[in-house]
Amino acid sequence: ETGVTQTPRHLVMGMTNKKSLKCEQHLGHNAMYWYKQSAKKPLELMFVYNFKEQTENNSVPSRFSPECPNSSHLFLHLHTLQPEDSALYLCASSQWKEGATTDTQYFGPGTRLTVL
Amino acid sequence: AQSVAQPEDQVNVAEGNPLTVKCTYSVSGNPYLFWYVQYPNRGLQFLLKYITGDNLVKGSYGFEAEFNKSQTSFHLKKPSALVSDSALYFCAVRDIGRGRRALTFGSGTRLQVQP
């Protein structure tokens, strides 16, 4: 595997289900991100992790719960979702360097989530 | 707050003709600017970025972008379009003056290249 991988690629779930999205980066990066891409809306940043610590939470509802056990893996745990949460969820990673903000984010293929 | 505008929802161009996809930005400090492309059912692929230096940035697949500070623009260009360039293009900005890592994306421009 190369780059950033995401599983599953497609997920259909009911409003009462609990599921998890998985992201893995094979680039040796130290920062990982979750973005939400909805139809007709710009990409929205959800969470940022650096060295496994959450550095940003962009006012995301608590029904979305991120987990970053190490710098290569990122999860998004989902529970009690709403139909409006249906979207493409994109994971990205980048390499942060001390004192520099020139890093480039590399994206995975996304998980297409449908909430019934 | 930082923001990005892509004024055109769709750009149509004939194969072989030059293409331009427009982007303007608003930041409080100096911007880092990025272009990404998204093909159907795929994630975003990095094309190029402007950090500092030469205002003309060259990137992947023959694309380039011109940074214009006075017009706060970062238009994406290619001298000769290919049908395979048809995709969704996103401009993004990082406002380094705010010290944030996150990117703010534009709404995207769909490029359609006709054979």
Side-chain angles (χ1 to χ4, degrees):
Chain A
E1 295 279 12
T2 59
V4 181
T5 58
Q6 292 186 242
T7 56
R9 294 294 307 276
H10 300 271
L11 178 63
V12 179
M13 59 186 290
M15 294 168 61
T16 58
N17 290 159
K18 290 185 179 181
K19 296 287 184 182
S20 296
L21 309 185
K22 178 183 176 182
C23 174
E24 184 173 0
Q25 59 93 2
H26 309 269
L27 301 169
H29 290 164
N30 56 20
M32 298 187 76
Y33 311 75
W34 279 118
Y35 284 88
K36 176 183 179 182
Q37 186 178 24
S38 305
K40 300 182 180 181
K41 290 180 69 174
L43 272 79
E44 303 171 77
L45 177 71
M46 300 176 72
F47 302 103
V48 181
Y49 277 84
N50 178 26
F51 296 106
K52 304 184 298 178
E53 293 186 5
Q54 190 179 125
T55 58
E56 287 195 47
N57 176 337
N58 204 25
S59 303
V60 180
S62 59
R63 58 185 183 271
F64 295 92
S65 175
E67 179 189 1
C68 189
N70 54 61
S71 58
S72 297
H73 293 85
L74 184 64
F75 295 89
L76 188 63
H77 304 299
L78 316 171
H79 66 96
T80 324
L81 294 192
Q82 306 297 313
E84 59 264 29
D85 296 323
S86 298
L88 182 67
Y89 288 85
L90 292 165
C91 174
S93 71
S94 71
Q95 181 64 24
W96 291 18
K97 295 180 181 178
E98 188 66 32
T101 55
T102 58
D103 55 294
T104 298
Q105 293 177 26
Y106 293 91
F107 286 78
T111 295
R112 175 70 61 187
L113 174 67
T114 302
V115 181
L116 302 177
Chain B
Q2 62 192 42
S3 65
V4 175
Q6 293 182 243
E8 303 154 315
D9 289 339
Q10 180 156 327
V11 170
N12 297 310
V13 64
E15 188 173 30
N17 283 1
L19 68 88
T20 298
V21 182
K22 296 179 180 178
C23 171
T24 58
Y25 66 89
S26 174
V27 297
S28 59
N30 292 321
Y32 288 165
L33 294 155
F34 300 78
W35 275 102
Y36 285 85
V37 60
Q38 186 176 33
Y39 297 98
N41 301 314
R42 302 282 295 276
L44 275 67
Q45 294 181 30
F46 169 71
L47 279 179
L48 52 81
K49 68 180 180 183
Y50 171 82
I51 302 299
T52 186
D54 195 346
N55 289 343
L56 187 63
V57 180
K58 294 189 182 298
S60 306
Y61 313 120
F63 284 92
E64 58 189 26
E66 186 170 11
F67 172 67
N68 187 318
K69 187 172 184 178
S70 63
Q71 297 185 6
T72 61
S73 67
F74 189 57
H75 301 331
L76 182 69
K77 301 180 179 183
K78 188 174 183 180
S80 179
L82 300 172
V83 173
S84 58
D85 292 330
S86 298
L88 190 57
Y89 290 81
F90 290 95
C91 181
V93 66
R94 174 183 292 143
D95 187 349
I96 59 174
R98 289 165 55 90
R100 292 184 67 227
R101 294 286 186 168
L103 295 174
T104 298
F105 284 85
S107 54
T109 298
R110 187 164 301 281
L111 174 66
Q112 194 70 40
V113 181
Q114 285 106 18

